[in-house]
């Protein structure tokens, strides 16, 4: 059986969702609802997604939640550091991550829903051509319902 690509072949094939990858240390803060904002060096600004799916890397290796996007914008490192309580990061960690860049991408979520069932890479790759993105990746229209079903959404 051919695998369905998660990444859209063209802009018309994009769903209203992207996948973001997180280190394993972020699994617990995501699950307990401590994170309501996420900073990233790259964010989708031209086409704003409605949902972000949270992929946690090894050893978890699964999509564990999805967030409903409120806003996506670029902000100063100072702004991000002043609002660190929404990021679950220290001021030092934020400034280190931003580096010399004058701005950083910021996702603000209206809500984050923990998946009733974590969708593991092993499970997802049975039907999907799935690779965790390095920054973010749009999800194809065909793959999105498969991801939702695997997560129990």
């Amino acid at each position: 059986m051919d695998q369905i690509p998660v990444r859209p072949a063209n802009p018309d094939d994009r769903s209203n969702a992207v996948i973001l990858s997180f280190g394993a240390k972020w699994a617990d803060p995501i699950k307990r609802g401590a994170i309501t904002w996420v900073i990233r060096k790259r964010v989708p600004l031209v086409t704003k997604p409605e949902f972000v799916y949270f992929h946690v890397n090894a050893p978890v290796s699964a999509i564990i939640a999805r967030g409903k996007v409120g806003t996506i914008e670029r902000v100063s490192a100072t702004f991000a550091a002043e609002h660190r309580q929404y990021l679950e990061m220290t001021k030092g960690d934020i400034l280190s991550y931003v580096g010399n860049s004058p701005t950083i991408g910021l996702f603000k979520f209206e809500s984050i829903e923990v998946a009733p069932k974590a969708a593991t890479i092993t499970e997802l790759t049975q039907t999907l051509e799935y690779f965790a993105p390095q920054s973010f990746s749009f999800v194809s229209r065909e793959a999105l319902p498969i991801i939702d079903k695997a997560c129990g959404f």
Side-chain angles (χ1 to χ4, degrees), residues 12-153:
D12 292 336
D13 190 32
R14 287 181 183 164
S15 70
N16 62 349
V18 296
I19 298 171
L20 289 179
S21 290
F22 293 84
K25 75 175 190 171
W26 295 102
D28 180 58
I30 292 167
K31 286 180 182 178
R32 63 182 160 82
I35 295 173
T36 54
W37 291 9
V38 171
I39 55 173
R40 286 298 162 103
K41 293 179 181 175
R42 292 185 57 236
V43 294
L45 292 171
V46 176
T47 304
K48 179 188 155 199
E50 185 177 352
F51 292 99
V52 167
Y53 286 74
F54 293 71
H55 174 95
V56 176
N57 296 323
V60 178
S61 302
I63 295 175
I64 65 164
R66 71 176 172 189
K68 182 159 178 51
V69 177
T71 61
I72 302 173
E73 57 191 303
R74 296 206 63 86
V75 299
S76 69
T78 304
F79 179 87
E82 288 171 351
H83 296 87
R84 61 190 167 276
Q85 72 272 22
Y86 301 111
L87 297 164
E88 280 285 296
M89 296 174 75
T90 67
K91 182 177 180 178
D93 287 344
I94 293 166
L95 296 176
S96 175
Y97 178 70
V98 173
N100 294 327
S101 178
T103 63
I104 191 73
L106 173 66
F107 289 88
K108 292 181 183 178
F109 295 98
E110 290 178 10
S111 61
I112 295 176
E113 178 182 10
V114 175
K117 178 186 172 299
T120 66
I121 284 185
T122 303
E123 180 182 359
L124 292 169
T125 56
Q126 289 176 10
T127 54
L128 299 172
E129 191 178 288
Y130 182 82
F131 305 95
Q134 287 193 2
S135 58
F136 71 88
S137 174
F138 276 93
V139 178
S140 71
R141 292 179 191 274
E142 192 175 6
L144 187 59
I146 296 167
I147 292 171
D148 279 342
K149 183 177 179 184
C151 292
F153 291 129

